[in-house]
Amino acid sequence: MAEILPFKAVRPAKAKAGLVVSRSYQDYSKAEIAAQLENNPYSFLHIINPEYELQDQNVGESRFKMIKERFLQYKQDGTFIKDKKPFYYVYKIETPHNSCCGIIAAASAEDYDKNIIKKHEDTIVHREILFKEYLKVVGFNAEPVLLTFPDNTTIESIISETTATTAEYEFTTTDSEKHYLWKISNPETAESLRSEFASIGSLYIADGHHRSASSTLFAQESRANNPNHTGKEPYNYFLSYIIPEKNLKIDGFSRLISDLNSHSKEEFLFLLKKNFSIKNYEEKIFVPAEKHEFSMYLDGQFYSLQLKKTGYQTEDSRSKLDAVILYDNILKPILGIKDLRNDKRISYFPGKDNNVEIKRQVDSGKFAVGFAMLPPGITEIKQIAEENLTMPPKSTYIEPKLRSGLTIYEF
C-alpha cells in the first residue's frame, strides 16, 4: 500500500504565483537565466541562484546556506505564505501540446525503500549524496518527483470534482503554459483520497529518480540522528506530483555519434547488415513506425534499420528495449561506445519526430551519424520496474516537466 499524505505547503502569494514559479534550473540557457534574474525580482531562480547579485561563486554548504537565507527572506517579505493546515493539492497544466492533472502530496521515503514506489532508472551515487546534503542544509524541497499510477476512477472523480470549482491559482507562463492549483479542503474527500492511494499496490517514478533517492538518503540519516524518531516527521516524506498513467507523455531521445570509430561509410554499412535489414531512403526523411525499427541519418541520407529475427536473443524486458538493442548491436560493438553516460562521442537530443534535428546536426559536421527510435510505452516502463531492472540513460523524455516553487515542502 502506498502512503500519500497531505502537507502544509509553502507557496507564492496568489498575485505573484506566475512570477515566482520557474522551470528546472538546467532547462534555462545562461542568457535566459540572466534575463530572469535581471528583470523578475520574484523568480524562484533568485532562491536557487542566490550568488547572482553578489557575483559570488560559492559552492557546497556555503552556497546551500545562502539558498536557505534567500528562501527565508521570501517568506518574511510575504512573497511566500504557508498553509496553516495540511492539504492535498490538485494541479493542472495545459500546454499547447498536452494537458495533465494530478495530485501534489507527500510520498513516503519508506515506500521507496520497500519498492512500493518503483524505479526504472539507475542513479549516480555522488549526485544522490550532493542533493541529500542540499536538503539537509536548505530544509525544503521545491521541485516534485513525478509519480504515476494505474488509472483509478475514484481518484480521477475526486480530481474532476475539485477542478469544477474555482482554482486557488490560475496563471499563464511566458511559454504559453496554463497552470491551475486547487486545495482539497473537505476532510472526507481528503480521507477518501488517502485511502484510495493506500489501496494501490505500486506507484512508479516517471521523472525524478535522483530526487527520490536523495530524499530517502536524507530520511535515513535524519532517522539515525533522531533518538525520538516516530516515523511521522516531515523528513520521512518527499514532495511528489502524482498523475494517472494516461496523462504521461512519453517521447524518446535520438543518439548522435561524432565519428564512425575509424570505419569508412561502406565498412559501417556492411557491419550493420549482420543484424539489420537496411533500406536507403536517400534524402527522404524516414520515421520509425514500429518497435525494433530505427531511423539512421548518415552522409546526407536516411536509412531504415529493421532488426533481423535471427542473431539477437532477448532475455528479459530490458533486452527487448530498442535503446538496448541499438547499444548491443551498433553503439558498443561497431562504434566502440561503452559508457553511455560519460563517452563524449555520444550526445542525445530529446523529443518526438526529431529527425530534422538529427539531419541538421549531422550536416553541420559535428556528428557523423544519428539514430532515432520509438520511445518505450508505459507498459514497458512498468515491466522494467517490476523486474527490478533499469533502462539505459536517456531512454525516455517524459512530460509534464514540472515547475519549481509552486508548492514547497518543508522538513
Side-chain angles (χ1 to χ4, degrees), residues 86-101:
F87 294 100
Y88 292 107
Y89 303 86
V90 174
Y91 177 41
K92 184 178 182 180
I93 312 170
E94 292 180 349
T95 75
H97 311 293
N98 194 32
S99 177
C100 71
C101 194

Side-chain angles (χ1 to χ4, degrees), residues 103-372:
I103 304 293
I104 295 178
S108 167
E110 186 176 0
D111 284 352
Y112 178 93
D113 260 343
K114 291 180 176 179
N115 207 33
I116 293 171
I117 295 176
K118 297 184 179 294
K119 315 91 181 166
H120 67 266
E121 286 184 6
D122 279 330
T123 52
I124 301 171
V125 174
H126 77 84
R127 287 182 60 191
E128 291 181 24
I129 294 173
L130 178 64
F131 193 62
K132 182 261 292 182
E133 293 299 315
Y134 168 87
L135 295 175
K136 186 164 63 174
V137 175
V138 303
F140 67 83
N141 197 329
E143 185 177 348
V145 172
L146 181 61
L147 301 177
T148 189
F149 61 92
D151 298 342
N152 179 291
T153 55
T154 300
I155 295 175
E156 292 185 49
S157 177
I158 290 172
I159 291 173
S160 179
E161 290 172 5
T162 303
T163 57
T165 64
T166 302
E168 185 81 8
Y169 295 150
E170 179 179 344
F171 59 89
T172 302
T173 49
T174 54
D175 54 359
S176 300
E177 287 187 355
K178 294 181 179 179
H179 300 260
Y180 307 83
L181 186 78
W182 294 262
K183 294 190 297 186
I184 295 181
S185 302
N186 185 297
E188 293 181 359
T189 304
E191 174 56 28
S192 176
L193 190 62
R194 185 206 63 78
S195 177
E196 197 63 29
F197 274 120
S199 71
I200 294 175
S202 299
L203 298 174
Y204 299 85
I205 300 175
D207 194 20
H209 284 79
H210 281 93
R211 293 193 298 278
S212 304
S214 300
S215 296
T216 301
L217 283 180
F218 173 65
Q220 292 169 347
E221 183 175 303
S222 300
R223 179 171 65 240
N225 292 333
N226 183 3
N228 299 313
H229 172 81
T230 66
K232 297 300 181 183
E233 295 86 356
Y235 60 68
N236 291 291
Y237 303 88
F238 56 91
L239 183 65
S240 298
Y241 181 44
I242 312 164
I243 66 175
E245 290 175 2
K246 66 182 180 183
N247 280 186
L248 283 179
K249 184 172 181 281
I250 306 172
D251 287 328
F253 282 84
S254 59
R255 272 78 168 134
L256 293 158
I257 317 299
S258 62
D259 62 74
L260 297 182
N261 197 28
S262 299
H263 297 299
S264 68
K265 172 185 173 181
E266 291 72 23
E267 290 171 339
F268 180 56
L269 290 171
F270 177 79
L271 292 170
L272 290 178
K273 289 179 181 179
K274 177 182 177 182
N275 289 326
F276 296 91
S277 299
I278 303 174
K279 182 177 179 180
N280 187 347
Y281 281 76
E282 299 183 346
E283 296 183 3
K284 181 181 178 182
I285 291 177
F286 171 75
V287 178
E290 58 186 47
K291 295 294 183 182
H292 307 343
E293 185 177 57
F294 303 84
S295 171
M296 180 177 75
Y297 186 69
L298 171 69
D299 193 27
Q301 297 181 326
F302 281 95
Y303 298 81
S304 70
L305 307 180
Q306 181 71 50
L307 183 69
K308 294 178 179 178
K309 294 183 179 180
T310 58
Y312 179 78
Q313 301 298 318
T314 57
E315 300 173 354
D316 51 31
S317 295
R318 187 180 189 278
S319 64
K320 296 176 183 177
L321 293 173
D322 283 345
V324 173
I325 291 171
L326 183 68
Y327 175 75
D328 286 348
N329 291 276
I330 301 177
L331 300 185
K332 183 179 179 181
I334 300 177
L335 294 175
I337 294 174
K338 298 178 181 179
D339 187 343
L340 291 171
R341 291 188 185 276
N342 300 308
D343 195 317
K344 293 181 180 179
R345 295 170 56 226
I346 185 170
S347 295
Y348 303 90
F349 186 83
K352 184 179 181 180
D353 300 333
N354 51 13
N355 285 280
V356 173
E357 181 63 19
I358 292 175
K359 182 180 186 305
R360 189 183 73 81
Q361 293 281 358
V362 173
D363 287 348
S364 74
K366 184 177 180 180
F367 298 97
V369 63
F371 301 93

